[in-house]
Amino acid sequence: MLLLLFVLLFGFSLVTWRLAVIQIKESPRLTALAAKKYQRHIALPAHRGAIKDFNGEYLAHDEDVNELHTDRTHLREIITVRQRLAAVRGVKALDLREQLGVTETLAAYHAHVAKVLATILPEPEAEIRKQITSEKPEIVLAKQVPEEEAKRWELLFKAEHIFGIYLRPAVARRFPAKDRLSLVLGDTDMVNKGRWGVEKLMDARLTGVAGEQFIERDKSGHELPAYRGLYVEPQHGSDVHLTIDMQLQDNVEAICERAWQASKARRVVIVVTEPTTGTVLAMAARPHRDESHPDVSTWTNHVIADPYEPGSIFKVVTLAAALDNHKVSPGERIDCGNMFYHDPVRNVKLSDDEALGMQTVKGVLVHSSNIGMYKISKRVGQDMMLEYASRFGFGAPTGIGLMGEKAGYMNTGKWSNTTYSRMPIGYEISVTPLQMCLAYGAIANGGVLMKPRLIDRICKSGGETEIIPAQPVWQVCTAKTAAALRDFLEGVVTEGTGSRAEVPNVRVGGKTGTTRRYDPVKKRYIDGSYLTSFVGMAPMENPKVVCLVMLDDPKADSPALVRGGRVAAPIFAEVVRETLDHLAIRHEQPLKVAAKGDAP
């Protein structure tokens, strides 16, 4: 009896010691192993905020999808794998255990899984088998699986006794606008972060905060709801509304496309803004990103990333400097000569399209006299010209925030005699269409230059709405000078080179521009090749719209017909008419910024 007692005590002591080791010393390690085998941490993806137009049309949004992935631990769980393979073969698990060893069982089951997956995945069966037998803990087999298709796959996996292959929730970025405004919207990367465009610009506001959930599965792979752990609900990103209304944008795109096809130009650019707030109402360009026609598609946003020599539309900068500093008065008469002019001091030559003789300062702009503008610029000088060009926003990005924006070129060094005669009339300086549109917006806005406003409002997931305010940059010129320039620009349309820009029952003002195209390779201007433009505003009594139209190298029967007043002005009139009709029914936010300076 004593011997039996000692044996029992010794046995219970061993058991107690072993339990102590397992429950105390080995507990953390074994718990981690169990968690690794049966517990799963599921990331609950947060939806990236949608990008919408002014009226709420979806331009980019997230869609609920699924990912198909492997689970290395479950695919090698021999007990469950044997049960599943036995069910596939219609035998008992014990019988299968006697027939096949561990290695053979796993190989047979993996072959079955690969065969089933090959019916729904594009990869061949051999490649799928290689992936599910990989040493990696997890391999994603399929991304962006639609909800309906995911449901069908789950039914298939259940019917075929698939274990260790799972679907989990994910999101995919969709762009229902397709090629419309694509160079403005931008794109996202593989982890749904903005790469460029509005997606990059507003990434911090669009990005949400992912949630998480811990679940536990039994040895058969089924979730145990009673053992669900921490659950953190995802916080979705904010929706961003653009200032652009796609109804107007589509109309402007159609006009731009027709102009491109009819003129056979290298480029056509149209920009429409609201002068009092800097709001971008529409922007279109050809060529553009066109997936259906990759041969003519481009990744360059010509509105902000393709500077050009503006020509005569730049003359308002010269006049603003002269009027603001009392170098000339509006009624002063300037001798524009008899078509040709030679300055013996600087040894430069200029010419006009016709003999203009004596003209008022207004007449110099109305008839676009290069000779008269040069004589005015001589009173202004280099420093003042550069100062006012900078004030109007040239030589620096506009601040629209889109990647790829160019600042343009402005010669801030020592000027040659040629520069003195060319920059005042829009040569030897390069600008982007958006820069020029905003510069004319300053004239329409009483001399106040506005920062471009592309984002109208941000709607947070909680229901709050944040209106993005208009931002004035600075006072370019006095309100009195801006009023004089508006009068001059209206004269360009009513009695000068811009008569084809007239809109019935609307007072319109603007300026034509015709520039010889420069060949950067041969470093010379190309004979018979021009860049034409028209930029203006309407209605003149209270400008609501500023519009720029630019055509690069349009074709015509005669080079004499390729002029801004002939080619670009009619397109401007069509766009302005569409825009004013559209604004008549558009709800506007109270964002106007009052002009500073002397009242007209």
Side-chain angles (χ1 to χ4, degrees):
M1 290 178 65
L2 288 174
L3 178 62
L4 180 61
L5 176 62
F6 280 118
V7 169
L8 290 174
L9 287 175
F10 180 74
F12 278 114
S13 297
L14 286 177
V15 172
T16 302
W17 173 79
R18 184 58 182 162
L19 287 174
V21 170
I22 294 174
Q23 295 293 332
I24 300 174
K25 184 179 179 180
E26 296 290 327
S27 178
R29 183 180 67 84
L30 296 176
T31 300
L33 287 174
K36 182 179 180 182
K37 187 171 183 179
Y38 297 111
Q39 291 182 355
R40 287 293 176 268
H41 172 258
I42 299 178
L44 303 176
H47 279 201
R48 185 177 177 83
I51 300 176
K52 305 179 182 180
D53 82 336
F54 183 82
N55 288 325
E57 178 183 336
Y58 281 92
L59 306 177
H61 66 89
D62 274 1
E63 180 181 299
D64 287 323
V65 293
N66 292 268
E67 285 184 346
L68 184 70
H69 67 97
T70 65
D71 186 317
R72 177 179 175 273
T73 302
H74 283 189
L75 284 169
R76 301 190 181 191
E77 171 56 54
I78 185 59
I79 295 176
T80 307
V81 165
R82 185 179 288 120
Q83 292 174 345
R84 295 299 178 95
L85 184 60
V88 170
R89 297 188 173 185
V91 299
K92 294 181 179 181
L94 290 176
D95 296 338
L96 187 65
R97 181 178 180 178
E98 295 178 358
Q99 297 172 10
L100 300 175
V102 173
T103 304
E104 291 83 0
T105 302
L106 291 176
Y109 182 70
H110 293 161
H112 167 69
V113 173
K115 183 178 180 181
V116 173
L117 292 179
T119 63
I120 59 175
L121 299 179
E123 290 84 2
E125 184 176 333
E127 179 63 26
I128 296 173
R129 186 170 182 178
K130 182 179 178 181
Q131 290 176 317
I132 64 178
T133 57
S134 169
E135 293 297 322
K136 295 182 179 179
E138 175 187 294
I139 292 180
V140 176
L141 299 174
K143 296 181 179 181
Q144 300 189 18
V145 181
E147 288 286 337
E148 292 299 320
E149 190 169 4
K151 291 178 181 178
R152 291 196 297 270
W153 287 10
E154 286 181 336
L155 293 175
L156 175 65
F157 296 162
K158 185 176 181 180
E160 295 292 340
H161 306 284
I162 301 298
F163 172 75
I165 305 294
Y166 302 113
L167 286 157
R168 65 184 171 201
V171 293
R173 199 66 170 167
R174 302 297 188 217
F175 295 89
K178 297 184 179 178
D179 293 332
R180 301 156 65 213
L181 216 61
S182 59
L183 293 177
V184 173
L185 296 176
D187 203 352
T188 56
D189 58 18
M190 297 297 292
V191 294
N192 218 17
K193 298 289 288 182
R195 293 195 303 167
W196 55 281
V198 175
E199 293 278 18
K200 175 69 173 179
L201 174 65
M202 302 302 295
D203 187 65
R205 307 300 294 271
L206 290 166
T207 302
V209 179
E212 59 180 349
Q213 182 179 13
F214 287 89
I215 66 170
E216 189 165 332
R217 300 179 187 271
D218 62 16
K219 63 180 183 178
S220 298
H222 300 117
E223 182 188 350
L224 300 173
Y227 291 93
R228 283 182 180 173
L230 175 68
Y231 174 78
V232 178
E233 188 174 355
Q235 299 177 19
H236 302 307
S238 301
D239 291 345
V240 171
H241 289 253
L242 303 185
T243 57
I244 295 173
D245 186 330
M246 289 308 294
Q247 183 178 354
L248 175 62
Q249 177 69 24
D250 288 343
N251 291 338
V252 174
E253 291 272 7
I255 295 171
C256 187
E257 178 70 25
R258 289 196 299 269
W260 189 44
Q261 297 294 339
S263 66
K264 296 180 173 57
R266 294 174 183 265
R267 289 179 294 163
V268 177
V269 179
I270 301 175
V271 188
V272 186
T273 64
E274 182 183 58
T276 55
T277 62
T279 296
V280 177
L281 299 174
M283 56 169 73
R286 294 294 185 276
H288 66 145
R289 185 182 176 188
D290 187 353
E291 294 182 358
S292 59
H293 299 89
D295 54 322
V296 294
S297 183
T298 181
W299 286 88
T300 300
N301 186 344
H302 298 294
V303 175
I304 63 171
D306 207 351
Y308 67 101
E309 285 185 314
S312 293
I313 59 176
F314 185 80
K315 290 176 180 177
V316 293
V317 178
T318 306
L319 281 181
L323 291 169
D324 236 16
N325 293 277
H326 309 291
K327 301 298 182 182
V328 295
S329 61
E332 182 179 347
R333 299 180 70 81
I334 306 294
D335 185 5
C336 298
N338 189 22
M339 289 184 67
F340 302 100
Y341 174 77
H342 175 252
D343 185 343
V345 177
R346 290 182 174 149
N347 193 28
V348 293
K349 297 179 180 180
L350 294 101
S351 63
D352 289 329
D353 288 343
E354 56 181 325
L356 297 172
M358 298 298 294
Q359 293 286 335
T360 62
V361 172
K362 176 180 178 179
V364 171
L365 186 69
V366 166
H367 299 289
S368 198
S369 172
N370 294 330
I371 297 171
M373 196 60 61
Y374 170 66
K375 290 183 176 181
I376 293 173
S377 73
K378 289 175 69 176
R379 306 183 191 183
V380 174
Q382 175 182 350
D383 292 341
M384 197 177 295
M385 274 296 304
L386 289 174
E387 178 188 346
Y388 272 78
S390 296
R391 284 190 186 185
F392 273 96
F394 301 120
T398 64
I400 194 170
L402 299 178
M403 291 179 62
E405 183 184 16
K406 299 293 180 59
Y409 169 76
M410 186 166 61
N411 184 358
T412 57
K414 183 176 177 60
W415 281 10
S416 66
N417 288 341
T418 304
T419 305
Y420 273 106
S421 66
R422 295 301 183 262
M423 184 172 170
I425 62 174
Y427 284 87
E428 294 198 25
I429 182 172
S430 67
V431 306
T432 65
L434 181 60
Q435 284 178 327
M436 185 57 72
C437 206
L438 293 171
Y440 271 72
I443 296 171
N445 192 34
V448 179
L449 179 67
M450 302 300 296
K451 182 178 179 180
R453 182 172 169 271
L454 183 61
I455 308 302
D456 180 72
R457 59 194 185 275
I458 299 171
C459 297
K460 302 177 182 179
S461 57
E464 301 175 12
T465 299
E466 176 187 348
I467 304 296
I468 305 301
Q471 298 183 45
V473 180
W474 48 54
Q475 190 83 24
V476 173
C477 60
T478 65
K480 183 177 180 180
T481 296
L485 291 174
R486 290 197 299 273
D487 177 60
F488 294 177
L489 293 171
E490 187 172 7
V492 172
V493 176
T494 57
E495 53 188 284
T497 58
S499 60
R500 289 178 172 81
E502 288 184 336
V503 177
N505 303 316
V506 178
R507 289 174 56 195
V508 175
K511 184 68 186 78
T512 57
T514 306
T515 316
R516 295 178 64 190
R517 293 185 68 252
Y518 185 76
D519 187 337
V521 178
K522 297 181 179 179
K523 296 183 179 181
R524 63 178 179 84
Y525 287 95
I526 306 170
D527 293 333
S529 183
Y530 300 95
L531 192 150
T532 65
S533 54
F534 189 95
V535 57
M537 61 199 70
M540 295 306 293
E541 59 271 21
N542 184 21
K544 301 287 187 184
V545 174
V546 173
C547 174
L548 176 140
V549 176
M550 185 273 284
L551 297 93
D552 183 0
D553 195 21
K555 306 300 186 294
D557 295 336
S558 168
L561 299 177
V562 182
R563 294 291 183 269
R566 287 180 172 272
V567 179
I571 302 172
F572 166 89
E574 187 177 1
V575 172
V576 167
R577 184 170 58 251
E578 286 280 356
T579 304
L580 291 176
D581 289 345
H582 180 80
L583 291 181
I585 59 174
R586 169 168 163 157
H587 174 69
E588 294 295 334
Q589 304 289 346
L591 297 170
K592 182 176 179 179
V593 177
K596 300 177 183 178
D598 300 328

